[in-house]
Amino acid sequence: MKKVFKKSIHKAGLLLALIAVLFSCEDSFDKTGFENNVAVSVESFSINGTEGVIDNNAGTITVTLPFGSTVNAEVADVVLPEGAELNVDFSQAMNFSQPVAFRVVNGNLFKDYKVNVIVSPPIVSFKINNLAAVINNTAHTINLTLPAGTDLTALQPVIELNEGVSISPASGSTIDFTNPVVFTVTSGSTVVTYTANVGVPVEGITVAFLGTAATREAITNMDEKTACDWLFANYSGAQYLSFTQINSGTSISDIDVIWWHYDSAQTLPSIAYNPAVTTALQNYRANGGNLLLTTFASQYVDALGVVPAGKGPNNVFGDFLPAGGVDSNSWGMSFVGHEEHPIFQGLQTFQSGKANLLQGGTYRLNHTAWWFLPEWGGYNNGAGWRSQTGGINLASESWDDALNGRVTVAEWGNNGNANVVIISMGAYDWYNEPDANGNPSQPNSFITNIQTLTQNSLNYLIGQ
């Protein structure tokens, strides 16, 4: 019994130690004294009278200051529980241009926080005929493409502003947008200008949406359907083209761009490999035709001989319902070094040369068909990929500014004119599916970047 008793004491000790370790993972405490019946959560945090939003679970505080505010030398007002102290003196002016970390200590407990200070943009939204523009608060641009045939000479934008902000010309004014229009935004002594570029798709061109369905109405994949519907809403010369039509000899010589967005399966359909189809598309390209291949369709560059045999995307993956899920992070791309390329103009960027396509919190299937460069395929880096495929890599994942890790946007051409563009990343997601329980996904606030990227690619291929 004595031996058993000693074992029990030993186990109880281990259990207490384990509990101490578990508690130390969240609100850690000094083991001496065990003064842990105290509070360590910040009660309020404000800058210039603006209260921050405190998330005590995440340990974050977000303060959104009005447009025109400075963040380089601000004093914060912090209210703590009785007896608590800070390791940062917020009574002195501080630079909040970057997140500021601090610790609250009370007794033997402490809690860590990180403060993010944001300055509100002046313009909340800019709409014409209920269509929202893409507002770039870094470049101070407003870009909007209206349906083909829209008269640009007398339009009335509806502009929503943040509190205390005025704009000229005012919301509701009748404006001629045939040329860029400069809007002046004022808040107190802060004055900035935004240039609005409002246009319509290039008319007189034919863009075909290629698919495996017999007709546009028969498309069942929601990602493909959403992309196709957008094309028809924005290009007067849009038409639907099935693989069966190509296989049966339908002429495609009058089509300016063929866009294949394939989301239904990782493996391309067998009809795409039919010699009658590949020959027709190869001849189409040789005679000046243009191809936009997106997500899983990016693999088609191999079958069409755009790249040498075996040099197509080497990393193809993605989920299919009921799999898939929500990621809290926004997904985007880096096109550093190609900021002036026509494909990337007008995108809403979060840094120079970086733009998000898929907002954190949206449901996603991550359909991807890209080139994985460092270890696979013998490419080693972007230069190796260009040498072996003949293409120009334009973008990678958002962390890869050297474009040596992945190839997510690329182009090929003849005599300096691009006639094939691929967009192959999982963030290029036109439709966010409901989850397995049928709960709808939150909207993707970066869908306008996907639309702008696509429109730019189509127009670039046409040479506009």
Side-chain angles (χ1 to χ4, degrees), residues 64-69 118-123 137 162 165:
T64 304
L65 298 176
F67 170 68
S69 300
I118 302 168
V119 177
S120 297
I123 304 173
N137 290 299
N162 269 311
V165 178

Side-chain angles (χ1 to χ4, degrees), residues 22 34 49 52 105 122 127 135 163 168 193 218 245 274 282 317 333 338 354-355 381 401 405 427 434 455 464:
L22 289 174
F34 294 102
V105 180
K127 296 180 179 179
I135 302 171
E163 185 176 353
S168 178
T193 60
Q245 288 176 286
N274 189 313
Q282 287 169 334
F317 57 91
M333 60 181 176
H338 296 281
K354 294 174 181 286
N381 52 37
D401 292 346
Q455 177 180 294
Q464 301 295 324

Side-chain angles (χ1 to χ4, degrees), residues 116-254:
N116 293 287
V117 179
I118 302 168
V119 177
S120 297
I123 304 173
V124 176
S125 67
F126 184 106
K127 296 180 179 179
I128 296 177
N129 298 340
N130 289 321
L131 295 175
V134 176
I135 302 171
N136 189 321
N137 290 299
T138 303
H140 291 173
T141 58
I142 302 168
N143 294 305
L144 175 60
T145 300
L146 296 172
T150 302
D151 181 3
L152 300 178
T153 61
L155 298 172
Q156 295 178 316
V158 176
I159 309 170
E160 184 181 356
L161 304 170
N162 269 311
E163 185 176 353
V165 178
S166 62
I167 192 167
S168 178
S171 175
S173 301
T174 301
I175 300 172
D176 182 353
F177 282 99
T178 52
N179 293 302
V181 176
V182 175
F183 286 81
T184 301
V185 175
T186 304
S187 177
S189 60
T190 302
V191 180
V192 296
T193 60
Y194 280 68
T195 300
N197 301 288
V198 178
V200 294
V202 180
E203 294 191 64
I205 63 170
T206 303
V207 180
F209 190 90
L210 178 61
T212 55
T215 64
R216 175 188 172 196
E217 292 72 22
I219 298 173
T220 56
N221 179 280
M222 285 305 298
D223 212 83
E224 297 171 16
K225 183 179 186 305
T226 304
C228 184
D229 288 348
W230 171 85
L231 179 69
F232 275 75
N234 289 277
Y235 283 80
S236 60
Q239 65 176 240
Y240 183 76
L241 175 68
S242 71
F243 275 100
T244 301
Q245 288 176 286
I246 299 177
N247 193 44
S248 62
T250 297
S251 174
I252 57 176
S253 60
D254 292 335

